[in-house]
Amino acid sequence: TMTEISRLHTSPRASVIVRHGDVIYLSGQVAQDADADVQEQTRSTLLRVETLLSEAGSSPSHILSATIYLRDIANDFAPMNEVWNAWVPDGQAPARACVQAHMARSALLVEISVIAAVITD
């Protein structure tokens, strides 16, 4: 039988959360305040990721894979990683890729998308 797919916060273009079986996919998340520096944008983005994962039945310790997009990897990789490293639960680091990208809006410095497992305790 086919596993059900559920979608939350859906627009004609994208769904913010897609759940397929015990796997959750989040669309790319960005900071609330695009005027902030890369560390504050990273904190804000990770808070959104955490909130969405919670809504979908998961948590940061259940992230399987993360993709981080930086507008300026040369200057922002180290400060973004300071925030990321403090946020990732000890021993629970996901598979990760980090790339430089042209952002949808020039003020955005970081975007993060994740794939996570549902909490099945």
Side-chain angles (χ1 to χ4, degrees):
T1 75
M2 195 169 129
T3 303
E4 184 181 334
I5 298 171
S6 60
R7 303 170 200 279
L8 296 169
H9 310 294
T10 299
S11 73
R13 182 178 306 153
S15 297
V16 176
I17 299 169
V18 175
R19 180 170 169 174
H20 179 249
D22 287 337
V23 180
I24 295 161
Y25 303 83
L26 296 188
S27 63
Q29 298 302 305
V30 297
Q32 302 273 147
D33 180 7
D35 294 327
D37 68 18
V38 70
Q39 287 194 318
E40 195 47 50
Q41 284 196 30
T42 302
R43 277 186 206 93
S44 174
T45 301
L46 291 172
L47 184 59
R48 289 178 82 165
V49 165
E50 221 171 306
T51 300
L52 291 168
L53 286 175
S54 177
E55 178 182 352
S58 190
S59 73
S61 65
H62 287 72
I63 295 174
L64 303 171
S65 175
T67 305
I68 301 171
Y69 305 91
L70 291 173
R71 188 180 80 189
D72 181 355
I73 201 162
N75 289 309
D76 291 345
F77 186 72
M80 176 279 298
N81 271 325
E82 280 183 36
V83 176
W84 172 266
N85 293 346
W87 180 78
V88 172
D90 284 347
Q92 305 296 316
R96 192 187 99 163
C98 186
V99 298
Q100 180 163 299
H102 291 283
M103 307 305 262
R105 289 182 291 145
S106 61
L108 294 172
L109 303 176
V110 62
E111 181 171 342
I112 301 173
S113 71
V114 303
I115 300 169
V118 172
I119 299 169
T120 56
D121 299 337

